[in-house]
Amino acid sequence: MPPFFSTARNHELSALDYLTTEINVAWTGVTLVKTFARVYDKDVDPPIVSLRLDNSAHQRREVGSTILVDAHNIIIDIFARSDAQRLDLAYFIIDKLRLGWVYYQFAHAIGDNSTLTKTVLGRATVIGWNQDTRLDFGDNVDAKDRYRHLISITVRHV
Amino acid sequence: MISIKVTTKGFEDTLNFLSVTLPSQIEAAMIFAAESAKQQMQATIKAKTRREGATGRLRNSLGIKVIKSRREIEVGVGYIPDLMTIAPYWYLVNYGGLVNPKARRVPGVFDLDTPPMSEFKGSGVGSGQFTYVRNGPVRFLMNVTSPILPMYYIEAGFQAAVRSLQAKAAEQLLN
Protein backbone atom coordinates (compact mmCIF):
# COMPACT_ATOMS: atom_id res chain seq x y z
CA MET A 1 0.00 0.00 0.00
CA PRO A 2 1.53 3.31 -1.00
CA PRO A 3 2.18 5.77 1.83
CA PHE A 4 -0.49 8.43 1.59
CA PHE A 5 0.02 11.95 2.77
CA SER A 6 -2.01 13.51 5.57
CA THR A 7 -4.94 15.83 4.93
CA ALA A 8 -2.84 18.85 5.87
CA ARG A 9 -0.06 17.94 3.42
CA ASN A 10 -2.61 17.23 0.71
CA HIS A 11 -4.16 20.67 1.20
CA GLU A 12 -0.77 22.36 1.04
CA LEU A 13 0.36 20.50 -2.07
CA SER A 14 -3.01 20.86 -3.81
CA ALA A 15 -3.03 24.63 -3.27
CA LEU A 16 0.59 24.89 -4.40
CA ASP A 17 -0.10 22.74 -7.47
CA TYR A 18 -3.11 24.88 -8.42
CA LEU A 19 -1.39 28.24 -7.94
CA THR A 20 1.75 27.09 -9.74
CA THR A 21 -0.30 26.12 -12.77
CA GLU A 22 -2.35 29.33 -12.80
CA ILE A 23 0.59 31.68 -12.20
CA ASN A 24 2.75 30.01 -14.84
CA VAL A 25 -0.01 30.50 -17.41
CA ALA A 26 -0.55 34.21 -16.75
CA TRP A 27 2.84 35.41 -15.42
CA THR A 28 6.51 34.93 -16.30
CA GLY A 29 9.44 34.74 -13.94
CA VAL A 30 7.43 34.10 -10.77
CA THR A 31 8.99 31.49 -8.52
CA LEU A 32 6.77 29.47 -6.21
CA VAL A 33 8.33 27.91 -3.13
CA LYS A 34 7.00 25.94 -0.21
CA THR A 35 9.40 26.96 2.56
CA PHE A 36 10.00 30.47 3.83
CA ALA A 37 13.77 30.07 4.17
CA ARG A 38 14.05 29.11 0.49
CA VAL A 39 12.88 32.61 -0.46
CA TYR A 40 16.17 34.07 0.76
CA ASP A 41 18.42 31.67 -1.14
CA LYS A 42 20.82 33.48 -3.45
CA ASP A 43 19.60 31.66 -6.56
CA VAL A 44 15.99 32.79 -6.08
CA ASP A 45 15.01 36.27 -7.24
CA PRO A 46 11.75 38.21 -6.87
CA PRO A 47 8.95 37.96 -7.73
CA ILE A 48 8.54 35.01 -5.36
CA VAL A 49 5.40 33.47 -3.91
CA SER A 50 5.78 31.32 -0.82
CA LEU A 51 2.85 29.09 0.11
CA ARG A 52 2.63 26.88 3.17
CA LEU A 53 0.11 25.50 5.58
CA ASP A 54 0.55 27.08 9.00
CA ASN A 55 -1.94 25.37 11.30
CA SER A 56 -5.14 23.39 11.42
CA ALA A 57 -8.24 23.59 13.57
CA HIS A 58 -10.46 20.61 14.35
CA GLN A 59 -14.10 20.49 15.37
CA ARG A 60 -16.43 17.59 15.94
CA ARG A 61 -18.92 17.26 13.10
CA GLU A 62 -21.76 17.10 15.60
CA VAL A 63 -22.30 16.56 19.29
CA GLY A 64 -21.08 13.12 20.28
CA SER A 65 -19.46 12.41 16.91
CA THR A 66 -15.87 11.21 16.67
CA ILE A 67 -15.58 12.51 13.12
CA LEU A 68 -13.59 15.70 12.89
CA VAL A 69 -14.17 18.55 10.47
CA ASP A 70 -10.85 20.21 9.75
CA ALA A 71 -10.08 23.75 8.69
CA HIS A 72 -6.56 24.55 7.54
CA ASN A 73 -4.86 27.93 7.55
CA ILE A 74 -2.71 28.60 4.49
CA ILE A 75 -0.27 31.50 4.42
CA ILE A 76 0.83 33.02 1.11
CA ASP A 77 3.74 35.46 1.18
CA ILE A 78 4.41 37.58 -1.90
CA PHE A 79 7.84 39.07 -2.50
CA ALA A 80 7.50 41.45 -5.45
CA ARG A 81 9.83 43.65 -7.45
CA SER A 82 7.65 46.73 -7.16
CA ASP A 83 4.59 47.98 -5.35
CA ALA A 84 2.49 47.77 -8.50
CA GLN A 85 3.53 44.18 -9.09
CA ARG A 86 2.74 43.39 -5.46
CA LEU A 87 -0.82 44.66 -5.85
CA ASP A 88 -1.35 42.94 -9.20
CA LEU A 89 0.01 39.59 -8.04
CA ALA A 90 -2.02 39.70 -4.81
CA TYR A 91 -5.21 40.51 -6.72
CA PHE A 92 -4.49 37.73 -9.23
CA ILE A 93 -3.99 35.17 -6.48
CA ILE A 94 -7.16 36.17 -4.62
CA ASP A 95 -9.09 36.05 -7.89
CA LYS A 96 -7.92 32.49 -8.49
CA LEU A 97 -8.39 31.27 -4.92
CA ARG A 98 -12.02 32.40 -4.76
CA LEU A 99 -12.92 29.81 -7.41
CA GLY A 100 -11.67 26.90 -5.36
CA TRP A 101 -9.43 24.17 -6.71
CA VAL A 102 -9.12 20.42 -7.01
CA TYR A 103 -8.18 18.66 -3.79
CA TYR A 104 -5.80 15.76 -4.43
CA GLN A 105 -4.67 12.80 -2.37
CA PHE A 106 -0.91 12.68 -2.85
CA ALA A 107 1.22 9.59 -2.41
CA HIS A 108 4.56 8.16 -3.40
CA ALA A 109 5.91 4.67 -3.90
CA ILE A 110 7.47 2.99 -0.90
CA GLY A 111 11.16 3.80 -0.86
CA ASP A 112 10.88 6.37 -3.63
CA ASN A 113 9.74 9.84 -2.64
CA SER A 114 11.07 11.56 -5.77
CA THR A 115 7.85 11.08 -7.70
CA LEU A 116 4.44 12.00 -6.33
CA THR A 117 1.19 10.62 -7.65
CA LYS A 118 -2.05 12.45 -7.16
CA THR A 119 -5.66 11.27 -7.13
CA VAL A 120 -8.65 13.59 -7.24
CA LEU A 121 -10.48 13.43 -3.92
CA GLY A 122 -12.77 16.45 -4.00
CA ARG A 123 -12.61 20.19 -4.08
CA ALA A 124 -10.95 22.64 -1.73
CA THR A 125 -12.75 25.86 -0.99
CA VAL A 126 -11.87 28.98 0.95
CA ILE A 127 -14.10 29.33 4.01
CA GLY A 128 -12.33 32.31 5.53
CA TRP A 129 -10.40 35.26 4.14
CA ASN A 130 -8.23 36.20 7.12
CA GLN A 131 -5.71 38.68 5.77
CA ASP A 132 -4.87 40.42 2.52
CA THR A 133 -2.40 43.08 3.51
CA ARG A 134 0.79 44.84 2.65
CA LEU A 135 3.77 44.24 4.99
CA ASP A 136 5.82 47.36 5.62
CA PHE A 137 9.26 46.87 7.14
CA GLY A 138 10.32 50.47 6.59
CA ASP A 139 12.99 51.89 4.32
CA ASN A 140 16.23 50.13 5.23
CA VAL A 141 15.32 46.58 4.35
CA ASP A 142 16.66 43.73 2.30
CA ALA A 143 15.67 43.90 -1.38
CA LYS A 144 13.39 40.89 -1.00
CA ASP A 145 11.51 42.44 1.93
CA ARG A 146 10.88 45.76 0.22
CA TYR A 147 7.57 44.92 -1.49
CA ARG A 148 5.90 42.21 0.54
CA HIS A 149 2.32 41.13 0.79
CA LEU A 150 0.53 38.60 2.96
CA ILE A 151 -2.57 36.59 2.12
CA SER A 152 -3.98 34.26 4.76
CA ILE A 153 -6.92 31.97 4.08
CA THR A 154 -8.72 29.12 5.81
CA VAL A 155 -9.64 26.20 3.59
CA ARG A 156 -11.64 23.01 3.78
CA HIS A 157 -12.31 20.31 1.25
CA VAL A 158 -15.65 18.78 0.28
CA MET B 1 -2.65 44.40 16.87
CA ILE B 2 -5.89 42.40 17.08
CA SER B 3 -9.04 44.44 17.50
CA ILE B 4 -12.62 43.32 18.04
CA LYS B 5 -15.08 46.13 17.54
CA VAL B 6 -18.85 46.34 17.96
CA THR B 7 -20.62 49.39 16.62
CA THR B 8 -24.28 50.20 17.21
CA LYS B 9 -26.34 51.47 14.31
CA GLY B 10 -29.61 53.31 13.99
CA PHE B 11 -28.96 56.09 16.49
CA GLU B 12 -28.79 59.70 15.47
CA ASP B 13 -25.93 61.78 16.66
CA THR B 14 -27.86 64.53 18.47
CA LEU B 15 -27.10 66.70 21.44
CA ASN B 16 -29.58 64.71 23.48
CA PHE B 17 -27.98 61.44 22.57
CA LEU B 18 -27.04 59.40 25.58
CA SER B 19 -24.25 56.88 25.59
CA VAL B 20 -25.29 53.39 24.57
CA THR B 21 -24.79 50.57 26.97
CA LEU B 22 -24.30 47.28 25.20
CA PRO B 23 -25.63 44.17 26.84
CA SER B 24 -23.05 42.94 29.27
CA GLN B 25 -22.96 39.54 27.54
CA ILE B 26 -21.56 41.15 24.39
CA GLU B 27 -18.80 42.93 26.24
CA ALA B 28 -18.03 39.80 28.23
CA ALA B 29 -17.86 37.72 25.04
CA MET B 30 -15.51 40.22 23.43
CA ILE B 31 -13.20 40.26 26.41
CA PHE B 32 -13.27 36.45 26.57
CA ALA B 33 -12.35 36.31 22.87
CA ALA B 34 -9.51 38.77 23.41
CA GLU B 35 -8.25 36.69 26.32
CA SER B 36 -8.34 33.57 24.12
CA ALA B 37 -6.43 35.45 21.45
CA LYS B 38 -3.82 36.65 23.92
CA GLN B 39 -3.27 33.17 25.34
CA GLN B 40 -2.98 31.66 21.88
CA MET B 41 -0.48 34.32 20.82
CA GLN B 42 1.64 33.72 23.91
CA ALA B 43 1.50 29.96 23.41
CA THR B 44 2.51 30.32 19.75
CA ILE B 45 5.47 32.56 20.60
CA LYS B 46 6.64 30.15 23.27
CA ALA B 47 6.22 27.09 21.03
CA LYS B 48 8.05 28.65 18.10
CA THR B 49 10.97 30.13 20.03
CA ARG B 50 13.99 28.17 18.85
CA ARG B 51 16.74 29.20 21.19
CA GLU B 52 17.01 29.04 24.95
CA GLY B 53 17.28 32.15 27.03
CA ALA B 54 14.23 33.99 25.73
CA THR B 55 13.50 37.07 27.84
CA GLY B 56 9.74 36.79 27.49
CA ARG B 57 9.44 40.51 26.71
CA LEU B 58 7.29 40.01 23.64
CA ARG B 59 4.99 37.48 25.31
CA ASN B 60 4.55 39.60 28.42
CA SER B 61 3.94 42.82 26.49
CA LEU B 62 0.71 41.50 24.94
CA GLY B 63 -1.98 43.20 26.99
CA ILE B 64 -5.71 43.66 26.55
CA LYS B 65 -7.19 47.12 26.18
CA VAL B 66 -10.90 48.03 26.20
CA ILE B 67 -11.93 51.27 24.54
CA LYS B 68 -15.51 52.45 24.84
CA SER B 69 -17.16 55.34 23.07
CA ARG B 70 -20.75 56.36 22.66
CA ARG B 71 -21.51 53.96 19.87
CA GLU B 72 -18.64 51.54 19.89
CA ILE B 73 -16.78 49.21 22.08
CA GLU B 74 -13.40 47.98 20.98
CA VAL B 75 -11.29 45.33 22.64
CA GLY B 76 -7.70 45.08 21.47
CA VAL B 77 -4.83 42.71 22.09
CA GLY B 78 -1.32 44.10 21.84
CA TYR B 79 -1.00 47.87 22.16
CA ILE B 80 1.45 48.91 19.46
CA PRO B 81 3.05 51.90 21.25
CA ASP B 82 3.88 49.56 24.13
CA LEU B 83 5.22 46.92 21.77
CA MET B 84 7.43 49.41 19.94
CA THR B 85 9.06 50.26 23.28
CA ILE B 86 9.24 46.84 24.92
CA ALA B 87 9.68 44.55 21.92
CA PRO B 88 10.28 46.59 18.74
CA TYR B 89 11.08 43.41 16.81
CA TRP B 90 7.45 42.19 17.19
CA TYR B 91 6.68 42.89 13.53
CA LEU B 92 9.71 41.07 12.13
CA VAL B 93 9.22 38.12 14.45
CA ASN B 94 5.59 37.74 13.38
CA TYR B 95 6.01 38.06 9.62
CA GLY B 96 9.62 36.90 9.22
CA GLY B 97 12.31 38.42 7.07
CA LEU B 98 15.92 39.53 7.05
CA VAL B 99 17.39 41.92 9.56
CA ASN B 100 17.95 45.46 8.25
CA PRO B 101 21.16 45.29 6.14
CA LYS B 102 22.64 48.25 8.04
CA ALA B 103 22.11 46.54 11.38
CA ARG B 104 23.20 43.10 10.32
CA ARG B 105 26.52 43.09 12.19
CA VAL B 106 25.50 43.19 15.81
CA PRO B 107 28.11 43.66 18.54
CA GLY B 108 27.69 41.78 21.77
CA VAL B 109 28.61 38.74 23.77
CA PHE B 110 27.32 35.24 24.23
CA ASP B 111 27.04 33.98 27.78
CA LEU B 112 29.93 31.60 28.43
CA ASP B 113 31.78 33.89 25.97
CA THR B 114 31.41 31.32 23.19
CA PRO B 115 29.89 32.10 19.80
CA PRO B 116 28.11 29.39 17.77
CA MET B 117 30.55 27.02 16.12
CA SER B 118 31.16 27.93 12.50
CA GLU B 119 30.17 24.53 11.15
CA PHE B 120 26.63 25.17 12.40
CA LYS B 121 26.42 28.51 10.64
CA GLY B 122 22.89 29.42 9.68
CA SER B 123 21.28 26.68 11.74
CA GLY B 124 20.71 28.68 14.91
CA VAL B 125 22.64 26.05 16.86
CA GLY B 126 25.15 27.31 19.34
CA SER B 127 25.82 27.74 22.96
CA GLY B 128 24.47 30.52 25.07
CA GLN B 129 22.27 33.53 24.73
CA PHE B 130 23.50 36.57 22.81
CA THR B 131 23.35 39.94 24.55
CA TYR B 132 23.76 43.19 22.65
CA VAL B 133 26.72 45.21 23.94
CA ARG B 134 27.46 48.51 22.26
CA ASN B 135 30.85 49.17 23.87
CA GLY B 136 33.11 46.94 25.88
CA PRO B 137 36.44 45.18 25.95
CA VAL B 138 35.13 41.74 24.98
CA ARG B 139 32.70 41.67 22.08
CA PHE B 140 31.89 39.52 19.11
CA LEU B 141 30.31 40.74 15.93
CA MET B 142 27.32 38.54 15.25
CA ASN B 143 26.69 38.61 11.53
CA VAL B 144 23.01 37.91 10.97
CA THR B 145 22.74 36.36 7.53
CA SER B 146 19.88 33.89 7.95
CA PRO B 147 16.26 35.04 7.71
CA ILE B 148 14.11 35.16 10.80
CA LEU B 149 11.38 32.58 10.31
CA PRO B 150 7.84 33.91 10.78
CA MET B 151 5.87 32.92 13.85
CA TYR B 152 2.48 34.26 12.69
CA TYR B 153 1.38 34.58 16.31
CA ILE B 154 -0.98 37.42 15.35
CA GLU B 155 -2.65 35.09 12.87
CA ALA B 156 -2.98 32.39 15.52
CA GLY B 157 -4.49 34.87 17.97
CA PHE B 158 -6.96 36.12 15.37
CA GLN B 159 -8.22 32.61 14.69
CA ALA B 160 -8.49 31.86 18.39
CA ALA B 161 -10.63 35.01 18.79
CA VAL B 162 -12.88 33.97 15.89
CA ARG B 163 -13.34 30.47 17.33
CA SER B 164 -14.16 31.92 20.72
CA LEU B 165 -16.79 34.28 19.30
CA GLN B 166 -18.31 31.47 17.22
CA ALA B 167 -18.52 29.27 20.30
CA LYS B 168 -20.19 32.05 22.31
CA ALA B 169 -22.67 32.69 19.50
CA ALA B 170 -23.52 28.99 19.32
CA GLU B 171 -23.94 28.93 23.09
CA GLN B 172 -26.40 31.83 22.91
CA LEU B 173 -28.38 30.10 20.15
CA LEU B 174 -28.69 26.91 22.17
CA ASN B 175 -29.82 28.87 25.20
Side-chain angles (χ1 to χ4, degrees):
Chain A
M1 183 168 178
F4 292 113
F5 290 1
S6 63
T7 308
R9 284 186 78 183
N10 288 331
H11 265 293
E12 187 181 59
L13 291 173
S14 298
L16 189 62
D17 184 72
Y18 171 68
L19 273 187
T20 303
T21 306
E22 295 296 328
I23 288 177
N24 286 341
V25 165
W27 293 73
T28 53
V30 179
T31 308
L32 274 96
V33 298
K34 199 160 71 70
T35 55
F36 188 83
R38 176 96 177 96
V39 170
Y40 295 93
D41 284 351
K42 287 189 172 54
D43 58 342
V44 180
D45 292 321
I48 308 164
V49 174
S50 165
L51 183 150
R52 61 211 175 283
L53 191 142
D54 188 51
N55 61 69
S56 304
H58 313 284
Q59 287 180 326
R60 293 188 188 278
R61 193 168 70 176
E62 55 196 4
V63 174
S65 172
T66 56
I67 298 172
L68 295 178
V69 177
D70 300 335
H72 305 278
N73 182 227
I74 291 179
I75 306 270
I76 300 169
D77 273 295
I78 298 171
F79 301 77
R81 282 185 188 272
S82 68
D83 209 45
Q85 186 184 63
R86 174 186 67 81
L87 287 169
D88 287 345
L89 197 45
Y91 178 80
F92 176 84
I93 289 173
I94 294 281
D95 195 49
K96 291 299 172 187
L97 292 175
R98 68 178 173 87
L99 301 171
W101 56 93
V102 179
Y103 172 76
Y104 293 105
Q105 167 74 65
F106 284 85
H108 62 72
I110 295 172
D112 176 19
N113 60 358
S114 59
T115 308
L116 295 181
T117 58
K118 57 187 186 184
T119 312
V120 175
L121 210 60
R123 261 194 96 73
T125 185
V126 178
I127 60 171
W129 301 91
N130 305 328
Q131 284 203 73
D132 175 15
T133 183
R134 175 190 175 206
L135 300 184
D136 184 4
F137 291 89
D139 296 325
N140 296 316
V141 293
D142 188 83
K144 289 182 180 176
D145 288 327
R146 198 177 302 278
Y147 305 107
R148 280 185 60 180
H149 199 93
L150 175 77
I151 297 171
S152 170
I153 56 175
T154 304
V155 303
R156 185 176 286 165
H157 75 276
V158 292
Chain B
M1 196 189 284
I2 293 180
S3 171
I4 309 165
K5 191 188 285 187
V6 172
T7 307
T8 59
K9 287 186 178 178
F11 293 91
E12 290 183 13
D13 218 346
T14 66
L15 288 174
N16 296 323
F17 177 76
L18 299 174
S19 65
V20 175
T21 304
L22 287 169
S24 60
Q25 298 99 310
I26 293 180
E27 186 174 337
M30 291 169 68
I31 292 174
F32 185 77
E35 191 60 49
S36 301
K38 177 186 152 187
Q39 286 175 8
Q40 183 62 54
M41 290 163 80
Q42 290 175 330
T44 302
I45 291 168
K46 190 171 182 183
K48 293 190 177 182
T49 300
R50 298 165 75 206
R51 293 181 68 91
E52 286 184 13
T55 59
R57 275 198 291 263
L58 178 58
R59 266 190 292 130
N60 296 332
S61 65
L62 297 171
I64 293 176
K65 212 170 184 69
V66 180
I67 303 169
K68 292 184 191 180
S69 63
R70 287 200 303 180
R71 295 177 58 198
E72 281 181 355
I73 175 167
E74 185 173 350
V75 180
V77 182
Y79 187 52
I80 292 179
D82 285 347
L83 285 165
M84 292 306 290
T85 310
I86 300 168
Y89 43 83
W90 68 272
Y91 197 81
L92 184 63
V93 164
N94 183 66
Y95 294 111
L98 271 176
V99 172
N100 180 341
K102 292 186 181 178
R104 209 163 279 176
R105 290 184 186 274
V106 185
V109 293
F110 287 88
D111 63 359
L112 308 179
D113 261 340
T114 51
M117 291 181 282
S118 58
E119 54 261 42
F120 294 121
K121 179 190 170 192
S123 67
V125 174
S127 60
Q129 177 187 349
F130 184 84
T131 304
Y132 171 70
V133 175
R134 191 186 171 111
N135 296 306
V138 181
R139 289 179 306 148
F140 293 103
L141 266 185
M142 182 171 69
N143 189 17
V144 183
T145 57
S146 298
I148 292 175
L149 299 182
M151 284 191 179
Y152 296 121
Y153 59 85
I154 299 176
E155 189 68 25
F158 171 77
Q159 287 169 35
V162 168
R163 285 196 295 270
S164 171
L165 288 171
Q166 286 174 339
K168 281 290 180 187
E171 195 182 295
Q172 288 296 317
L173 279 174
L174 288 172
N175 291 339

